[in-house]
Amino acid sequence: MPVDTKAATDRLMRFLAVEGVTGQEAAIGRELMAALKESGVPAKAIRLDDANTRIPVPTETGNLIVDLPGRGALHNQPRIMFMTHMDTVPLCAGAKPKKSGRKIVNSAKTALGGDNRCGCGVLVTLAAELEKHKLDHPPITLLFCVREESGLYGARHVKLDELGSPVMAFNYDGGSASNVVIGAVGADRWTVEIMGRASHAGVAPERGISSTMIMALALAEVKAGGWFGKVVKGKRQGTSNVGPVTGGEGRPAGDATNVVTDYVHVRGESRSHDGKFFKEITKAYKAAFEKAAKKVTNAQGKSGRVKFKAETDYYPFRMKDSQPIIKRAVEAVSAVGGTPNVRTANGGLDANWMVRHGIPTVTFGAGQNEAHTIDEWINLDEYDRACALAVQLATMR
């Protein structure tokens, strides 16, 4: 059954025009609900959950969940789920999408928001096509998650009993519709507070304890030990990065050049497909900061202090090739004219948490390119293929 690609593109343009950066998804949530109703989904089948009340950072709204009863010969088959996220990175604020041939580009100097308005377009198009053509399909749950871009929070905090016990899920995120992503890395997000002692840097520098120097020594130790950037230790691999360095929320690291800096706050991350190895990377950072703090002393022999905290953002997963969901995904990609590319991802996905919740989940792309940059654009041929793929996945016998 061919998909109405013009209607699908119109929906995508409509969704791209609605701002909804991570944590501020109320407006795009309302637009999605309106589009679903226009597509024939009854209002009673559409609801918002209360995940935002459990997310530890301010979040305007909960996840959007839609229940589609099974129809026809497949009505009593096990439930399946299609999911995506409805937030964008903050760089997308102010985007102005426009069509340019078989692309959607941006006339503003921002990111476009194809990540992940494309996924939203695919899921609403799926609902519209199933209703328009009265296609046979099993019971389906549609899940639009909040705050994916800032920590996979919506998927992490969804209540499983809200989802209707799906036996498998298909997630739409970035890249090609032919990508069959069956695994992804896990990651720690860590912070370290470095406490030194302030002193006049020109009059009595020896009385101070420089938190900046503690940080410098720690990072030099990490780099020398091979724990920064791409990390390879024998057969184990991972990555790490040092992110924002500040003096706390909204403050610079240090107050003036003539004052020994007494406080620095550092944020970073550690990643690996190996569930133990990314924690080893984090431990290497912790040890380096603690060692550096002891090294930096003042004239009185007092040293600095550090407070290191780490939290697992998401856990790695790699599904077995023999799982039914992978067979279904590969067959569906082939059926819509694609060449299946079974692979793993080096970034976190909502699928990380779905698999952790016990729901096997494959992730596909939907035509997003150069995501999180001002060069972002959407390949409409891939987007159309992603929409056709969703219909294929939903109606396969």
Side-chain angles (χ1 to χ4, degrees):
M1 180 68 65
V3 169
D4 185 341
T5 55
K6 182 184 182 303
T9 299
D10 289 345
R11 286 186 196 98
L12 177 54
M13 291 294 290
R14 173 182 177 179
F15 299 153
L16 285 166
V18 180
E19 193 168 297
V21 302
T22 190
Q24 300 173 29
E25 297 95 340
I28 185 61
R30 289 192 294 269
E31 199 69 25
L32 288 167
M33 287 189 281
L36 285 161
K37 292 172 187 174
E38 292 163 18
S39 299
V41 178
K44 64 181 181 180
I46 306 169
R47 66 186 186 281
L48 293 167
D49 73 3
D50 63 352
N52 55 315
T53 66
R54 297 184 295 281
I55 293 172
V57 284
T59 308
E60 284 183 345
T61 188
N63 299 308
L64 174 60
I65 302 174
V66 181
D67 296 312
L68 303 178
R71 180 189 286 126
L74 301 177
H75 79 280
N76 62 352
Q77 294 297 302
R79 178 176 292 271
I80 62 176
M81 183 165 75
F82 291 82
M83 61 182 294
T84 192
H85 65 89
M86 56 178 164
D87 60 319
T88 67
V89 293
L91 186 61
C92 295
K96 295 180 180 179
K98 67 176 183 179
K99 284 184 65 179
S100 177
R102 294 300 296 158
K103 296 180 179 181
I104 298 176
V105 296
N106 194 1
S107 58
K109 292 296 182 182
T110 69
L112 177 58
D115 178 15
N116 205 5
R117 295 293 184 264
C118 287
C120 295
V122 169
L123 265 61
V124 177
T125 294
L126 170 61
E129 293 292 322
L130 293 176
E131 180 60 28
K132 178 181 178 181
H133 299 290
K134 306 300 180 187
L135 300 175
D136 291 358
H137 64 83
I140 292 173
T141 299
L142 304 180
L143 172 63
F144 302 80
C145 292
V146 296
R147 271 203 183 274
E148 189 268 358
E149 298 290 7
S150 49
L152 312 182
Y153 285 114
R156 180 174 188 166
H157 291 283
V158 71
K159 290 180 178 176
L160 293 186
D161 57 7
E162 297 262 8
L163 302 179
S165 302
V167 295
M168 62 181 68
F170 303 103
N171 181 42
Y172 277 87
D173 210 328
S176 167
S178 296
N179 286 340
V180 181
V181 180
I182 63 171
V185 294
D188 271 346
R189 186 173 303 196
W190 53 261
T191 64
V192 59
E193 293 181 275
I194 307 172
M195 280 75 74
R197 184 181 188 279
S199 182
H200 194 296
V203 177
E206 71 279 2
R207 294 182 184 174
I209 302 170
S210 172
S211 54
T212 309
M213 184 54 63
I214 293 171
M215 179 186 71
L217 290 174
L219 296 183
E221 172 101 357
V222 165
K223 180 68 170 67
W227 296 102
F228 176 76
K230 186 174 182 179
V231 184
V232 180
K233 301 289 181 181
K235 293 183 179 180
R236 299 177 301 167
Q237 294 189 21
T239 63
S240 76
N241 188 51
V242 178
V245 176
T246 68
E249 202 65 41
R251 292 185 55 211
D255 297 315
T257 60
N258 63 354
V259 179
V260 175
T261 302
D262 65 345
Y263 181 83
V264 171
H265 186 275
V266 186
R267 289 193 285 151
E269 66 166 35
S270 311
R271 299 186 184 202
S272 178
H273 287 277
D274 183 323
K276 294 181 179 178
F277 191 52
F278 74 86
K279 293 195 169 295
E280 283 192 41
I281 298 172
T282 301
K283 286 179 182 177
Y285 273 89
K286 182 174 186 288
F289 278 106
E290 290 175 344
K291 181 179 177 181
K294 293 176 181 177
K295 279 186 175 180
V296 180
T297 59
N298 64 6
Q300 287 74 44
K302 293 182 178 179
S303 63
R305 296 183 298 112
V306 297
K307 185 183 293 184
F308 191 98
K309 294 181 181 178
E311 180 181 357
T312 299
D313 255 4
Y314 43 88
Y315 296 87
F317 75 98
R318 200 323 185 155
M319 294 187 294
K320 293 181 179 179
D321 294 342
S322 59
Q323 288 190 245
I325 185 174
I326 298 174
K327 181 174 182 288
R328 186 182 186 112
V330 167
E331 288 180 357
V333 169
S334 298
V336 297
T339 301
N341 176 25
V342 180
R343 56 185 290 266
T344 58
N346 290 325
L349 302 164
D350 279 337
N352 286 67
W353 280 105
M354 283 301 118
V355 172
R356 187 79 176 175
H357 293 325
I359 304 171
T361 303
V362 162
T363 299
F364 306 99
Q368 308 94 324
N369 291 275
E370 305 289 343
H372 301 191
T373 76
I374 62 172
D375 298 318
E376 185 181 8
W377 61 282
I378 295 166
N379 182 327
L380 285 173
D381 291 335
E382 284 294 323
Y383 172 69
D384 290 349
R385 192 192 302 274
C387 292
L389 175 62
V391 175
Q392 180 70 22
L393 287 162
T395 57
M396 290 175 71
R397 282 170 165 71

